[in-house]
Amino acid sequence: MSITNPTTADRLLASLRALLRAEDPNRTYRGIYEYLVGGVASNGSTADATPTDTSLPLPPILRIPLRAGITGATAKLTVGNRCLVAFVNGDPTRPFVIGADPVPQTITEDATQQITVGSVSPGTVVPTVVGAAARVGDQVGPFLVTKGSTKVVIGG
Amino acid sequence: MAAQNANWASFGQGRIISATLTIPLYGTWVADVVLALGTSLSQTATLILGDLNLLGSVQRAASFAGSRSARLVGGYGGWQKPVPSRGYSSPGAVLLSTVLKDLASDSGEKIGTFTDGLLGTFFIRENAPAQRVLRQLAGSLWWVDSNGVTQIQSSRPSSLIPLPFEVVQWSGAKGRFEIATERLSDWMPGRTFTAPTVSSVQTVSQTTITIDNSGKARLTVLVSP
């Protein structure tokens, strides 16, 4: 930060900031930052992303691994997603994508009653569920069942 | 061929009339000097105090009433400069040497030999003063040597300072010694000393050399507890 006419208070604050930084040099890496996905690995496990705010002190990052945060859950990013990047334990060597904007999905059912979520193939496959039916307006997991030309039946 | 500088205290070709030099255990040394003439200084030159020669750079300077005062720092003054953000990634591992060499190049400093290591599959360098990135990579264990080269080592040379020198004063409460010596260059942080009037071997943690307008030079050291 450039100070053209530093007052005594400015100099004291600058000294205080320097002391705080000396005490915690990794302070920048303790935040959560919004990035824009520019590329995704073919298996969806990593993403290339750029900070959405160009004033941030962080660079574009290639091949950032994803952590969905829910045991057993997987997720895929698409180009144009906004995602959240954090650093494990404030460590500049350990960046991860920890979240992303939800992208509108479609649900399709195939002949084997496998439900595929997502308009981009391959999407996330939800295993067949038996013993219940979803009605229009029901919430099935994270998905809202809406009226349309395709009836989605979960179970028999 | 440049004329030999016969001044006992000088920076470049400028004679120093007063100075305070502080050499810490880690980090860069700093000197506030007043020179006899108001002429401009070379950005980087050798600070000479007796037998002590230190390569340093001007951080701030001004002329007033026919003399020039300046703050000098060890090395090339680059560790204060902001470096742009940069991302490193490698499926194998990012080498410490790769990141440090880029950091030195971007800041205009020189780094000595060090033990290389693996940082991990990433290193995300933030837009920050270069010394902050250096601290992230090397911890607090770095210093600028007399040649202006930044050393990254686990400790400083700790050899015993040879006699003759005289302990003028010892403040046990402050852990501070005032030393009379002809060899200022011996009294670098990390080195050890003992004397007939000192009960145990002491380790220098900070050296301060003060020169006043009368030409009197005083050396004080702080010791590790």
Side-chain angles (χ1 to χ4, degrees):
Chain A
M1 183 176 74
S2 172
I3 302 175
T4 54
N5 294 301
T7 63
T8 300
D10 291 328
R11 291 194 174 198
L12 286 172
L13 282 173
S15 298
L16 182 60
R17 289 190 193 102
L19 287 170
L20 289 173
R21 281 294 186 174
E23 179 63 22
D24 186 12
N26 286 2
R27 181 170 176 270
T28 296
Y29 303 100
R30 303 193 192 285
I32 299 174
Y33 299 96
E34 184 180 74
Y35 272 65
L36 186 67
V37 176
V40 180
S42 56
N43 62 4
S45 63
T46 66
D48 302 339
T50 304
T52 57
D53 184 351
T54 56
S55 69
L56 288 178
L58 296 173
I61 308 175
L62 302 179
R63 295 185 291 273
I64 318 172
L66 278 61
R67 276 194 176 178
I70 300 174
T71 302
T74 59
K76 286 190 67 177
L77 294 173
T78 55
V79 174
N81 266 156
R82 290 174 183 258
C83 62
L84 299 177
V85 174
F87 296 82
V88 176
N89 298 332
D91 187 339
T93 68
R94 303 179 66 186
F96 283 95
V97 172
I98 59 170
D101 279 350
V103 176
Q105 301 291 344
T106 58
I107 302 173
T108 59
E109 180 190 22
D110 64 17
T112 66
Q113 293 187 313
Q114 292 284 333
I115 297 174
T116 301
V117 178
S119 59
V120 178
S121 179
T124 301
V125 176
V126 178
T128 301
V129 178
V130 297
R135 300 160 295 180
V136 171
D138 281 352
Q139 191 83 23
V140 179
F143 310 112
L144 178 66
V145 179
T146 59
K147 187 176 181 179
S149 60
T150 300
K151 182 186 293 183
V152 176
V153 177
I154 301 177
Chain B
M1 183 171 125
Q4 187 175 9
N5 192 335
N7 294 317
W8 187 89
S10 65
F11 179 71
Q13 296 297 315
R15 182 171 68 89
I16 289 173
I17 57 177
S18 67
T20 300
L21 166 66
T22 301
I23 309 174
L25 185 63
Y26 296 116
T28 182
W29 58 261
V30 178
D32 287 348
V33 302
V34 178
L35 295 100
L37 298 176
T39 52
S40 59
L41 302 171
S42 300
Q43 177 60 32
T44 300
T46 300
L47 172 66
I48 297 176
L49 299 178
D51 71 324
L52 180 61
N53 288 12
L54 300 172
L55 184 77
S57 300
V58 177
Q59 181 191 34
R60 185 191 298 137
S63 292
F64 182 73
S67 67
R68 193 165 187 87
S69 58
R71 171 159 291 177
L72 312 175
V73 296
Y76 302 87
W79 292 122
Q80 304 168 81
K81 294 179 183 175
V83 291
S85 60
R86 181 182 287 195
Y88 298 83
S89 66
S90 171
V94 178
L95 290 174
L96 174 64
S97 56
T98 302
V99 182
L100 276 177
K101 285 176 183 174
D102 285 348
L103 182 64
S105 173
D106 290 345
S107 62
E109 290 285 352
K110 296 181 181 178
I111 295 182
T113 56
F114 57 91
T115 302
D116 205 351
L118 303 177
L119 295 176
T121 51
F122 292 90
F123 182 79
I124 309 304
R125 190 178 85 179
E126 61 173 309
N127 180 345
Q131 61 184 338
R132 187 191 305 168
V133 182
L134 180 63
R135 173 76 187 276
Q136 292 164 359
L137 294 167
S140 59
L141 306 179
W142 65 272
W143 73 91
V144 179
D145 68 13
S146 59
N147 296 316
V149 177
T150 299
Q151 299 296 329
I152 300 172
Q153 305 289 340
S154 59
S155 62
R156 285 196 145 189
S158 58
S159 55
L160 193 68
I161 299 172
L163 293 168
F165 60 85
E166 181 183 350
V167 177
V168 175
Q169 193 173 36
W170 178 12
S171 169
K174 294 185 173 71
R176 185 174 67 190
F177 287 79
E178 184 176 339
I179 305 291
T181 179
E182 293 294 325
R183 292 184 56 82
L184 299 176
S185 62
D186 282 345
W187 294 86
M188 291 296 106
R191 296 196 69 178
T192 57
F193 68 96
T194 188
T197 54
V198 178
S199 55
S200 58
V201 176
Q202 307 291 328
T203 302
V204 178
S205 63
Q206 179 175 292
T207 300
T208 302
I209 299 171
T210 305
I211 301 168
D212 61 24
N213 288 341
S214 66
K216 181 180 175 182
R218 185 172 74 170
L219 183 146
T220 57
V221 297
L222 298 179
V223 295
S224 301

